[in-house]
Amino acid sequence: MSIILENLNSKAIQLGIPLSVHLDVTWRCNERCVHCYLDHDDLGEMTYDEIEGLLTQMAAAGVFLLTLSGGEPLLRTDLFAIIRRARELTFNVKLKTNGILIREKEAALIRELGVETVQVSIYSHRPEVHDAITKVKGSLNRSLDAIRFMVSQGLKVTIANVVMKQTRFDYPGVQKLAAEIGASFTIDPTITPHINGDRSLLRLNIDRNDLREIMNDKTIAGEDQFIAVAPGDEDVMDSIPCSAGHSACYVSPYGDVYPCVQFPLPSGNVRQQKFIDIWKYSPQLEEVRSIRSRDLPVCSSCSHVAGCSRCPGLAYMEGSMRGPSTADCEKSFAKTGIPSANMLLKAAKANA
């Protein structure tokens, strides 16, 4: 996040403004990725009129950053009407798509409407691996064709790479591919449990040794240094775990509001309440906002607490939003070689 966005986010948190919203316009998809955490049946997604009304409410509430995603958002025939209305309301729009439905016409509309960035997931530079994950033959080449064309039209494109067991050794190839095409590159070594709570997808996570190699790859992780926290550091103890529910939230295709797409705590529904009323008065969001680092029974005693990427949503799906997120403990350990408080606690229990 740039310094400008960091400052904007801090100000939004202070003022209680929902600066950023991730809106899935559909969960339908033309791919069936093996690690996907969403259902793909249409259970009555919001109509264009409902989404248009929601966009108007969000603009009035102060939302500025809008991510439109899915599922595959281009499966909605009214997607570009949604984007057009979002831009009329001056949202900064980011689009997440698999890209296989983007041709010249769609790319021209994305550029015409002033979409800030387009993110496309590429799991491997090898067609046989990528296509096996999406379960769509030819999907890699179709996605790459879309990316190349969008870049040629001056659009900002980010290639997102989710690392899993099947793609463990492929991220350097995808990173090189992004550089050759002229796209940005981002990587995520964490598999998300299914939104219904099913954790079986976590079997796809890479092992600790592979995670250590990735977390110490300076082309990925940079030069960040571990900073140990002195016991009782007030600034750290008073900090919030992340922006979810503080300056950002997620809205499903059915109008359900959650703190984040990775934090499936039902907090209201825009078909039943105004967006601003959910944002301001939802008991669930109020609970999320009440939590500070000092309120985390295990993490508050951890030397990683100042720099950990702890996701309260992953912690929530693990059992408690105030608890540790094992995936983030593993990332901190992989980066530093220093066990987290949670890891030490588990080891002590195992040896008791």
Side-chain angles (χ1 to χ4, degrees):
M1 186 182 292
S2 71
I3 295 297
I4 293 175
L5 280 180
E6 286 181 8
N7 292 338
L8 193 60
N9 189 57
S10 295
K11 193 68 174 178
I13 292 172
Q14 292 172 17
L15 297 175
I17 294 173
L19 177 68
S20 175
V21 171
H22 177 143
L23 170 62
D24 278 351
V25 295
T26 184
W27 281 354
R28 291 175 289 134
C29 194
N30 47 6
E31 294 182 334
R32 287 295 182 270
C33 298
V34 297
H35 63 292
C36 186
Y37 53 85
L38 297 174
D39 292 316
H40 296 308
D41 294 328
D42 181 359
L43 303 177
E45 61 197 28
M46 288 186 286
T47 65
Y48 171 80
D49 287 342
E50 288 178 305
I51 291 177
E52 193 278 335
L54 173 60
L55 294 176
T56 301
Q57 291 180 41
M58 292 195 306
V63 176
F64 174 56
L65 303 172
L66 177 65
T67 297
L68 296 176
S69 185
E72 173 46 52
L74 271 86
L75 286 179
R76 285 195 65 129
T77 57
D78 57 2
L79 176 66
F80 290 108
I82 292 170
I83 295 175
R84 187 177 300 279
R85 182 59 181 146
R87 293 294 294 131
E88 288 172 353
L89 291 167
T90 69
F91 289 114
N92 177 288
V93 176
K94 176 180 180 179
L95 179 65
K96 290 187 176 183
T97 170
N98 58 41
I100 64 177
L101 294 177
I102 295 177
R103 301 291 189 271
E104 292 188 15
K105 176 184 175 182
E106 291 77 18
L109 280 168
I110 292 169
R111 181 179 182 183
E112 173 193 326
L113 294 172
V115 172
E116 175 65 20
T117 60
V118 181
Q119 180 173 303
V120 182
S121 292
I122 298 294
Y123 304 111
S124 172
H125 59 296
R126 296 180 292 159
E128 66 274 16
V129 176
H130 177 96
D131 293 359
I133 289 170
T134 65
K135 298 184 181 179
V136 176
K137 188 175 182 179
S139 58
L140 175 61
N141 288 334
R142 291 169 69 181
S143 292
L144 289 178
D145 285 346
I147 293 169
R148 290 188 177 97
F149 185 75
M150 286 190 287
V151 170
S152 75
Q153 298 303 298
L155 291 165
K156 297 178 185 176
V157 180
T158 297
I159 288 179
N161 181 241
V162 178
V163 180
M164 60 192 90
K165 287 181 178 177
Q166 300 94 313
T167 67
R168 159 62 189 92
F169 299 103
D170 288 10
Y171 82 85
V174 179
Q175 187 179 27
K176 180 181 178 182
L177 191 60
E180 291 172 350
I181 292 174
S184 300
F185 176 79
T186 185
I187 188 172
D188 186 358
T190 304
I191 300 296
T192 300
H194 197 280
I195 198 165
N196 66 9
D198 183 357
R199 298 177 61 78
S200 63
L201 291 176
L202 300 185
R203 71 185 186 280
L204 300 174
N205 270 319
I206 58 176
D207 66 29
R208 183 175 288 175
N209 290 331
D210 288 338
L211 182 61
R212 180 181 297 115
E213 182 176 331
I214 291 173
M215 294 303 295
N216 287 281
D217 183 339
K218 291 186 170 49
T219 69
I220 300 296
E223 301 286 346
D224 292 342
Q225 298 296 314
F226 169 69
I227 301 175
V229 178
D233 186 305
E234 293 299 320
D235 288 339
V236 172
M237 292 300 106
D238 286 335
S239 66
I240 62 174
C242 81
S243 296
H246 292 270
S247 63
C249 68
Y250 165 67
V251 183
S252 82
Y254 312 115
D256 296 307
V257 177
Y258 303 100
C260 172
V261 69
Q262 290 191 151
F263 196 162
L265 172 69
S267 303
N269 187 287
V270 298
R271 284 172 157 167
Q272 301 166 4
Q273 295 172 270
K274 292 182 179 179
F275 174 81
I276 191 62
D277 289 339
I278 296 172
W279 179 258
K280 285 186 174 181
Y281 307 121
S282 164
Q284 294 82 9
L285 292 181
E286 287 181 355
E287 180 183 6
V288 171
R289 292 178 191 134
S290 73
I291 299 172
R292 297 294 180 270
S293 291
R294 68 173 68 256
D295 302 317
L296 308 175
V298 177
C299 300
S300 60
S301 65
C302 184
S303 60
H304 291 280
V305 66
C308 180
S309 60
R310 175 188 175 274
C311 171
L314 293 179
Y316 170 77
M317 286 190 275
E318 199 167 322
S320 171
M321 68 176 79
R322 290 174 172 80
S325 161
T326 297
D328 292 299
C329 292
E330 289 289 345
K331 283 192 281 188
S332 291
F333 179 63
K335 180 69 174 173
T336 67
I338 301 172
S340 70
N342 181 43
M343 297 172 75
L344 294 172
L345 182 63
K346 287 183 176 180
K349 288 181 178 179
N351 295 327

